[in-house]
Amino acid sequence: MEMPEACPVCQQTYEPEPGFYYGAMYISSGFSTGVLLGIGFLLYYFANDPPLWVYVATVAAAVLAITPVLFRYSRAVMLYGFGGARFDPRYLNR
C-alpha cells in the first residue's frame, strides 16, 4: 500500500517544501534563545546574580528538557506561518 500524497480529509500535502526543515531549525533556535534570555533574566533578578556555572547548568537543563516541545512547535510555526496550512475546526474531531 502506497502512502497518499495529501491528507484525504483536508488535502494538506504530507511533504513540505525543500527548505521547510531548515526554516524550522532557525525558528527552534529563536525559541531556544528566548528560553536562554528568559532564564538568564530570572536568575539575575531573583537569584541575585549567581555564578556562571549556575547560569550554564540551568539553561542547559531547561533547553534539554523542553527540546521535544521546541521541536514540535517550531515545525508548527513554520507550517502555519510559511507552509500554507490553516486551522479548520470542522476537521477537529475526525
Side-chain angles (χ1 to χ4, degrees):
M1 175 179 246
E2 190 172 307
M3 184 172 164
E5 291 185 22
C7 175
V9 176
C10 68
Q11 302 306 316
Q12 176 70 37
T13 59
Y14 290 133
E15 185 175 331
E17 67 225 18
F20 175 80
Y21 294 106
Y22 288 119
M25 180 183 65
Y26 285 114
I27 292 171
S28 179
S29 175
F31 285 164
S32 295
T33 302
V35 169
L36 179 139
L37 291 173
I39 290 175
F41 284 128
L42 288 174
L43 285 174
Y44 183 79
Y45 288 111
F46 293 118
N48 296 324
D49 194 18
L52 179 64
W53 70 268
V54 174
Y55 285 103
V56 172
T58 306
V59 168
V63 169
L64 284 175
I66 63 171
T67 293
V69 174
L70 295 178
F71 179 66
R72 178 166 300 234
Y73 280 108
S74 66
R75 290 187 303 163
V77 167
M78 186 66 183
L79 188 61
Y80 281 101
F82 303 103
R86 298 289 172 251
F87 175 73
D88 191 347
R90 293 179 297 167
Y91 304 129
L92 192 59
N93 293 323
R94 290 189 179 191

